[in-house]
Amino acid sequence: MRWRQDDRGTVRRVTVLRSLLLFALAALAEIGGAWLVWQGWRENRGLWWIAAGVIALGAYGFVATFQPDPNFGRILAAYGGVFVAGSLAWGVLVDGFRPDRWDLAGAAICLLGVAVIMYAPRDA
């Protein structure tokens, strides 16, 4: 958890929950968008699938702007770990993929990296 002072000098907590929800929404938009493009092109489902995918990928770009941290590089670096874990989860839920222990270990390491990058205590 991180703390930030507002203009009146009072300390308020920047919610980690909001950040995590935004990461989940970003993953849904990016992974879902890429999947739609894949389906449209590789599975010959047509241009409407591709167009929906492009719109979802564009929405992903906006979601990151709502993260409480103002540093683009930090947000995108942390999101990379969410993307790795989310992609494996998408594969399980949508495509019947069965990750092995190394997939799961790698995803856990990535999520640990997200926690360190985003939520480690820092000086203001």
Side-chain angles (χ1 to χ4, degrees), residues 20-60:
L20 292 172
L21 289 173
L22 286 167
F23 277 135
L25 184 58
L28 182 64
E30 185 182 20
I31 298 164
W35 183 82
L36 287 167
V37 171
W38 178 283
Q39 293 295 308
W41 186 256
R42 298 265 318 237
E43 304 297 328
N44 299 311
R45 294 192 182 209
L47 291 177
W48 287 111
W49 284 69
I50 294 169
V54 168
I55 290 168
L57 288 165
Y60 151 72

